[in-house]
Amino acid sequence: MDKTLWLRWRYPILVFFLGAIAIVYSTQSISHFLFKNEVEKRLENIHIFYQERYLNLGRELLELIDKLQFNCTQQDITLLRDTIEQSTGIQLLELHTAKSDCSVYGKNVPLIKDFDKDNSFISHDNGDFSYNVAPYHNHRLKVHYQLPNASLILITEPVQNVFTQSEVCLNCTAMTLSRDGSEIEIYPRSQTKQYTHVASKRFGPNYAFNVYATDNGINYVTESDLFITQLLLFFMLLSVCLMIGLYRTPERTLKEMISYGLMKKEFIPYYQPIVDSTTGAITCCEVLIRWQRSDGELISPNQFIPIAEHNGQIKLLTNYIIEHVIDQFEGELIADSQFYISINVTPQQLEDDEFLSTTINLLKQRNVPAHRLAFEVTERIPFSDLAKARRIIQHLTDFGISIKLDDAGTGYGGFSYLQNLPIDTLKIDKMFVDTIGTNDIKSNILDSIILFAKHAGLKVIAEGVETKAQVDYLHQREIYLMQGYHYAKPMPFNEFKQYLQQDLMISKR
Ligand code: C2E
Ligand code: CA
Ligand code: CA
């Protein structure tokens, strides 16, 4: 697979797989979440429905207690009947006194006798009277008021469940009422099943409805919603990953990689000698950057320099390379010789005051004579502020750093640059050297460039010289400085040092 494609998509793919695993693994949590949401919504409705009814119970009871004679006369029975008729929450009322019992059905027909047997209830004592709330058949509540000389029992309407029977499996949900740590079952939990608490809703200031459910119950209710939710999550995940991938254009990915490479010091200078073909002496060398990745791969500058030029990282790269070159030649550049090192820079760097001062400071700091360094600026990219470039180049040349025009004839305004800027050398691009001995129309351009350079009094270096025929042709036109595989390929420092020593010991130059 194309490497940049892989680099671009590896994170989105990783995010997608991790996200997909997370979605699958969180099935139970999503079900829970969906179920809880649904229960809370329904509890809210139940709350709205019962809030008023049950809160009225206390008031209705107090009014009744006020009017009762507590002797189960017809008057008392009528009062009991009137109360349940007017109440929306009470279904049954019964009065027990020391002498007689009565209910809404008449005297001595008490229906509920077994309240003492309840062992699950919520009790309340406010000083004046106390009461118990216990579950009663058919999801109703039984409230037993203990008055000083009588007791009053009321049965509420059935409490509505959060889910109807058809919506959920048998015994899969349960509902309770609680107060101060006591809890009574309205829709009871089965002894044989495991329930989880799902939600609670406060009811009045003291009570709360609680809903419990088994895992089966939760899955049963949320099955179809779960499928849609997970599908939606997958689509969202996919969209996010696509967006990440599309955002991570090769350029952005490469930018991150270059920053990482700089941090890890993965960029190294290679050196290619520039030879005086009449003597074979090495007059200078060009620094050509290489990117040595941690896996050993050597990346050619054509693959990252254009991006770095475009996004400004070239500044960091150049500074890094200059320092690295100085480190490698430490001590050897002070010896008395004319040998110098040529470093590639962009037009933008030659319009940048910061670049100027950084370079000058660095050379001073490291005690490197300025004439040991030259810059070659490519014609491929145009200068944007020629006046500023002129000022900065003048500054550099005054300091001792010479400037060459690289790739001459291939790009923008080469001749106008040569007229306007203090450039002393012209590098003829390989593209023109390649035409030597061919019928290529560009071979005329080569001759024109050479002619122009001579008239302008410029030094000339021919680049990409690969054959003896090319050397001879250039000789005939009095071009002697040559760079190319015919002499040597770009090489790492140690190799280049040996190459230099074979040619002439650096110290003796
Ligand atoms: P360039 O400045 O024109 O460098 C010359 C290129 O031609 C180098 O390619 C060199 O290896 C290659 N070359 C030299 N002689 C021969 C030859 O006889 N035959 C062939 N086939 N090729 C030859 P390289 O090293 O791949 O660099 C490519 C370009 O990357 C450079 O072109 C330069 O524009 C840029 N570059 C390299 N290092 C730097 C740097 O540190 N800063 C900047 N701004 N650009 C750099
Ligand atoms: Ca160059
Ligand atoms: Ca060139």
Side-chain angles (χ1 to χ4, degrees):
M1 207 208 299
D2 178 2
K3 196 156 184 182
T4 44
L5 202 69
W6 168 237
L7 286 171
R8 180 179 188 177
W9 289 101
R10 66 183 173 169
Y11 287 125
I13 290 173
L14 187 74
V15 170
F16 182 78
F17 273 108
L18 291 179
I21 290 170
I23 292 174
V24 171
Y25 266 88
S26 54
T27 300
Q28 200 60 37
S29 312
I30 299 172
S31 288
H32 242 269
F33 174 79
L34 293 171
F35 189 77
K36 188 177 162 72
N37 252 6
E38 182 61 29
V39 168
E40 279 173 351
K41 235 181 347 195
R42 289 178 181 227
L43 268 179
E44 188 62 41
N45 289 339
I46 289 177
H47 177 258
I48 294 166
F49 185 68
Y50 284 118
Q51 173 86 341
E52 209 165 318
R53 291 183 177 201
Y54 285 149
L55 290 184
N56 278 342
L57 284 186
R59 190 180 41 77
E60 287 163 3
L61 253 292
L62 284 179
E63 275 173 25
L64 175 67
I65 289 165
D66 228 25
K67 291 180 197 156
L68 279 173
Q69 305 273 311
F70 296 104
N71 53 12
C72 276
T73 54
Q74 193 52 44
Q75 192 191 343
D76 273 0
I77 294 169
T78 311
L79 276 168
L80 295 180
R81 286 177 183 160
D82 286 351
T83 306
I84 63 163
E85 251 167 50
Q86 280 154 22
S87 168
T88 45
I90 307 172
Q91 252 190 2
L92 226 95
L93 265 172
E94 201 172 286
L95 179 64
H96 296 255
T97 67
K99 291 191 180 132
S100 56
D101 300 334
C102 55
S103 76
V104 287
Y105 296 110
K107 196 161 179 176
N108 289 331
V109 274
L111 296 166
I112 314 146
K113 288 182 173 165
D114 56 351
F115 56 85
D116 289 334
K117 289 180 210 146
D118 289 336
N119 53 11
S120 146
F121 56 82
I122 298 169
S123 57
H124 175 78
D125 191 345
N126 72 356
D128 292 337
F129 62 88
S130 65
Y131 68 83
N132 292 336
V133 184
Y136 193 66
H137 307 291
N138 200 17
H139 319 298
R140 288 174 291 179
L141 297 170
K142 181 177 74 180
V143 187
H144 176 197
Y145 285 84
Q146 195 61 58
L147 303 166
N149 44 16
S151 62
L152 200 59
I153 296 172
L154 76 80
I155 303 293
T156 66
E157 308 187 307
V159 177
Q160 191 190 323
N161 198 356
V162 274
F163 291 104
T164 61
Q165 256 180 23
S166 62
E167 282 178 305
V168 74
C169 46
L170 192 66
N171 290 336
C172 287
T173 59
M175 201 167 155
T176 67
L177 182 71
S178 62
R179 176 186 172 139
D180 302 335
S182 307
E183 192 173 29
I184 52 169
E185 311 253 348
I186 307 172
Y187 288 87
R189 283 169 278 195
S190 155
Q191 299 287 332
T192 55
K193 293 188 173 181
Q194 276 243 310
Y195 293 82
T196 352
H197 172 254
V198 179
S200 290
K201 175 77 195 170
R202 286 213 77 79
F203 183 78
N206 302 313
Y207 291 91
F209 278 132
N210 311 292
V211 174
Y212 296 84
T214 61
D215 283 350
N216 256 356
I218 294 174
N219 294 341
Y220 190 95
V221 172
T222 55
E223 204 175 13
S224 57
D225 282 354
L226 176 72
F227 176 71
I228 293 168
T229 309
Q230 283 188 317
L231 207 65
L232 255 166
L233 286 174
F234 270 116
F235 273 117
M236 273 160 64
L237 179 67
L238 193 69
S239 322
V240 168
C241 293
L242 279 175
M243 267 153 59
I244 298 175
L246 293 175
Y247 175 79
R248 285 168 58 84
T249 54
E251 180 154 335
R252 281 204 187 93
T253 318
L254 209 58
K255 187 178 175 186
E256 282 168 28
M257 286 170 64
I258 293 173
S259 300
Y260 184 77
L262 269 168
M263 197 178 74
K264 291 271 168 196
K265 300 190 184 337
E266 289 179 351
F267 295 95
I268 47 169
Y270 266 47
Y271 301 90
Q272 188 178 27
I274 293 167
V275 177
D276 179 342
S277 57
T278 53
T279 61
I282 300 167
T283 59
C284 64
C285 67
E286 178 178 2
V287 177
L288 293 157
I289 197 168
R290 298 287 180 269
W291 187 355
Q292 181 126 48
R293 305 259 301 142
S294 50
D295 57 7
E297 189 191 1
L298 204 64
I299 302 180
S300 131
N302 290 326
Q303 288 183 46
F304 61 90
I305 287 288
I307 302 281
E309 281 172 349
H310 182 72
N311 67 29
Q313 284 177 308
I314 193 69
K315 283 184 180 182
L316 292 172
L317 273 173
T318 311
N319 290 345
Y320 174 80
I321 279 296
I322 297 176
E323 284 201 49
H324 204 103
V325 167
I326 294 177
D327 283 345
Q328 291 190 321
F329 279 92
E330 183 90 72
E332 313 210 31
L333 289 173
I334 301 160
D336 179 31
S337 97
Q338 291 309 305
F339 175 79
Y340 67 91
I341 299 164
S342 192
I343 289 177
N344 289 287
V345 295
T346 63
Q348 279 61 50
Q349 286 173 297
L350 295 185
E351 291 170 0
D352 182 4
D353 284 300
E354 197 188 324
F355 178 71
L356 172 75
S357 54
T358 316
T359 311
I360 291 179
N361 289 341
L362 184 71
L363 294 188
K364 282 181 179 165
Q365 241 175 43
R366 303 292 295 267
N367 225 2
V368 177
H371 69 273
R372 295 298 188 185
L373 210 63
F375 287 140
E376 36 191 272
V377 61
T378 182
E379 206 196 294
R380 279 182 294 110
I381 309 168
F383 281 94
S384 49
D385 185 346
L386 219 53
K388 194 167 183 195
R390 186 181 164 73
R391 179 171 59 76
I392 289 176
I393 294 177
Q394 192 63 59
H395 222 103
L396 287 167
T397 48
D398 289 349
F399 183 66
I401 299 174
S402 69
I403 311 291
K404 303 188 184 83
L405 186 69
D406 200 1
D407 310 320
T410 63
Y412 301 84
F415 295 113
S416 79
Y417 293 163
L418 290 165
Q419 276 159 0
N420 286 295
L421 304 170
I423 288 172
D424 68 355
T425 308
L426 191 149
K427 286 189 86 174
I428 300 176
D429 195 73
K430 179 176 184 299
M431 178 207 268
F432 302 110
V433 175
D434 279 346
T435 64
I436 294 172
T438 67
N439 294 327
D440 194 322
I441 192 148
K442 287 197 292 294
S443 63
N444 295 333
I445 305 178
L446 172 66
D447 289 343
S448 312
I449 295 173
I450 295 172
L451 222 65
F452 169 82
K454 276 191 190 151
H455 280 298
L458 295 163
K459 279 189 269 177
V460 177
I461 298 174
E463 241 181 16
V465 179
E466 289 183 340
T467 63
K468 177 81 171 56
Q470 289 168 342
V471 175
D472 293 343
Y473 182 93
L474 292 163
H475 264 205
Q476 280 164 23
R477 281 153 187 79
E478 296 168 350
I479 305 297
Y480 305 117
L481 292 177
M482 302 195 195
Q483 175 184 359
Y485 293 177
H486 180 68
Y487 295 98
K489 287 192 171 181
M491 55 193 109
F493 180 70
N494 285 338
E495 228 175 279
F496 182 65
K497 208 172 153 188
Q498 279 174 13
Y499 186 89
L500 270 183
Q501 279 162 351
Q502 273 172 17
D503 182 67
L504 264 180
M505 294 298 285
I506 297 175
S507 55
K508 289 184 190 159
R509 292 173 141 256

